[in-house]
Amino acid sequence: RTGDPAPVFTATALDGAPVDLAAYRGRPVVVNFWASWCTPCRDEFPLLADRLDELGPRDGLVIIGVLYKDDAASAQRFLDEFGKSWPSVPDRDGSIASAYRVVAPPQTYFIDGDGVLRGIQIGEVRAEDFATQYAKIAP
């Protein structure tokens, strides 16, 4: 729920790098649950990439992708196709999605520098949605 601490998780990204949500304290974080088979996920990906390019250097924005009922090979092909990525972690047992109460992708969570969940976007993130949600976590 918004206003509560975001559920923390540790996982291994598709590229083998460790991901620990708690390590990003002090920075705005967007956690995006997605799947390679999800059309709205494909539609929102370029927007997220653009915002990361803009806000990463300026604000320290971090985006973490969490695969939702998808396999690593398909997800990697998706990322390769876009030629851009951020850490994306498989959620093999569904525990991360369960902690965040995800029902279907895409679902996106906006977490402030204190680790508090400030915004939830159910469905595709469009430019105006991102602006509204990001304003809640911008440093």
Side-chain angles (χ1 to χ4, degrees):
R1 291 185 334 218
T2 56
D4 288 347
V8 294
F9 59 87
T10 58
T12 302
L14 292 173
D15 66 3
V19 174
D20 179 356
L21 181 62
Y24 297 110
R25 267 304 150 80
R27 298 170 70 178
V29 177
V30 171
V31 177
N32 176 251
F33 288 82
W34 67 281
S36 61
W37 46 263
C38 162
T39 300
C41 299
R42 179 172 293 278
D43 294 342
E44 74 182 4
F45 193 93
L47 172 76
L48 295 175
D50 288 348
R51 294 306 179 269
L52 183 60
D53 286 347
E54 173 193 351
L55 301 169
R58 187 183 87 194
D59 293 349
L61 173 65
V62 173
I63 296 178
I64 300 171
V66 180
L67 300 183
Y68 184 82
K69 298 183 179 177
D70 201 359
D71 66 273
S74 297
Q76 190 60 58
R77 280 193 300 277
F78 176 104
L79 295 173
D80 292 346
E81 177 185 333
F82 281 96
K84 192 106 179 145
S85 79
W86 37 82
S88 286
V89 301
D91 186 16
R92 289 181 180 85
D93 63 0
S95 62
I96 303 171
S98 178
Y100 279 83
R101 297 187 172 105
V102 175
V103 293
Q107 279 188 227
T108 307
Y109 297 79
F110 293 78
I111 302 165
D112 70 15
D114 293 325
V116 176
L117 180 60
R118 296 294 179 191
I120 301 170
Q121 179 71 33
I122 296 174
E124 180 183 342
V125 176
R126 293 183 172 88
E128 59 275 11
D129 303 319
F130 190 95
T132 299
Q133 297 287 11
Y134 188 72
K136 300 173 186 177
I137 66 167

